[in-house]
Amino acid sequence: MSAEPRINDRIRVPEVRLVGPSGEQVGIVPLAKALELAQEYDLDLVEVAANARPPVCKLMDYGKFKYESAMKAREARKNQAHTVIKEMKLRPKIDPHDYDTKKGHVVRFLKQGDKVKITIMFRGREQSRPELGYRLLQRLAEDVADLGFVESNPKQDGRNMIMVLGPHKKKTEAMAEARQAQEARKADAKANPGKSQNAAEADADADVDTEVEAQTPAPAEA
């Protein structure tokens, strides 16, 4: 079956339940009368409920209706937010500097509205000290509590211990803020023409990197 509704002379029924151009109920009328009214209004007769008895038809500008529907669908796809789960891997006895680096990545992911799967990898004798991994996960959760929450509590999975952090900020909100920040930088560049071209290009590169990271999972190795 075609997804396109039948319009005008392609409608093949003796009578229809007619809806006017403003949504008003005209009632059940012969098909010929409905087509005549469509010509008077310079509109199309569109079958909007083919399975009804009799079928429901509406007077409308079908070309305009199709265009507006396509634009709405395009805007919906543009604003669609895909849930992304990033992954960050740590060792139980991680170096303080490495911890700060890893935490920085987690902070960035949460700010972008992404979930983060934290994996503690145990090796050798470390497997007999699961409390080390548990304490490390608790510490990380507390350090980023203003940006995210523990969606899945720490649990042992073979040699690993896993915890999932969820962002307080929705993906759509993060994307909107990123666009606003980009527009603000552009406005600042226009207001301050003395800003170097290199700085402007750096801002543009940062925007591209942020957009790519918001859509593509990129597990970080310890």
Side-chain angles (χ1 to χ4, degrees), residues 110-154:
L110 292 174
K111 284 183 176 180
Q112 292 171 180
D114 294 321
K115 295 182 180 182
V116 188
K117 175 183 176 183
I118 311 297
T119 301
I120 304 295
M121 302 180 298
F122 296 95
R123 294 178 182 175
R125 296 180 180 180
E126 292 175 346
Q127 297 180 59
S128 64
R129 301 289 304 280
E131 69 277 5
L132 295 177
Y134 185 78
R135 286 200 295 265
L136 181 58
L137 291 176
Q138 281 189 314
R139 174 188 173 189
L140 180 59
E142 292 172 359
D143 287 347
V144 299
D146 57 331
L147 298 172
F149 61 95
V150 177
E151 185 173 285
S152 178
N153 289 317

Side-chain angles (χ1 to χ4, degrees), residues 26 41 48 50 57 64 75 91 110 112 114 134 152 166 176 182 191 200-201 208 216:
V26 178
Y41 283 104
V48 295
C57 295
K64 180 180 179 181
E75 189 66 21
R91 294 293 304 280
L110 292 174
Q112 292 171 180
D114 294 321
Y134 185 78
S152 178
Q182 182 180 6
E201 291 176 354
V208 172
T216 306

Side-chain angles (χ1 to χ4, degrees), residues 19-173:
V19 179
S22 299
E24 68 275 16
Q25 297 291 328
V26 178
I28 298 175
V29 299
L31 177 62
K33 177 63 176 177
L35 290 170
E36 181 181 330
L37 289 173
Q39 290 182 340
E40 289 181 9
Y41 283 104
D42 193 24
L43 295 172
D44 299 299
L45 181 67
V46 182
E47 189 177 58
V48 295
N51 294 328
R53 293 292 179 269
V56 179
C57 295
K58 184 176 181 179
L59 298 174
M60 67 173 73
D61 183 337
Y62 187 58
K64 180 180 179 181
F65 170 77
K66 286 187 65 177
Y67 173 77
E68 291 177 347
S69 297
M71 292 300 293
K72 288 179 181 178
R74 179 181 178 184
E75 189 66 21
R77 288 193 298 271
K78 179 180 177 181
N79 294 327
Q80 187 176 12
H82 299 283
T83 300
V84 175
I85 299 181
K86 305 287 188 177
E87 183 173 13
M88 188 60 56
K89 296 181 179 180
L90 296 80
R91 294 293 304 280
K93 299 179 181 179
I94 188 170
D95 176 86
H97 175 74
D98 289 340
Y99 174 82
D100 289 338
T101 300
K102 301 282 188 178
K103 184 180 71 174
H105 291 312
V106 173
V107 166
R108 180 156 47 87
F109 295 150
L110 292 174
K111 284 183 176 180
Q112 292 171 180
D114 294 321
K115 295 182 180 182
V116 188
K117 175 183 176 183
I118 311 297
T119 301
I120 304 295
M121 302 180 298
F122 296 95
R123 294 178 182 175
R125 296 180 180 180
E126 292 175 346
Q127 297 180 59
S128 64
R129 301 289 304 280
E131 69 277 5
L132 295 177
Y134 185 78
R135 286 200 295 265
L136 181 58
L137 291 176
Q138 281 189 314
R139 174 188 173 189
L140 180 59
E142 292 172 359
D143 287 347
V144 299
D146 57 331
L147 298 172
F149 61 95
V150 177
E151 185 173 285
S152 178
N153 289 317
K155 62 180 179 180
Q156 197 75 27
D157 182 17
R159 294 185 176 182
N160 300 328
M161 182 174 288
I162 296 171
M163 177 181 73
V164 177
L165 296 174
H168 291 314
K169 186 183 301 180
K170 293 181 179 179
K171 184 74 171 180
T172 50
E173 295 174 353

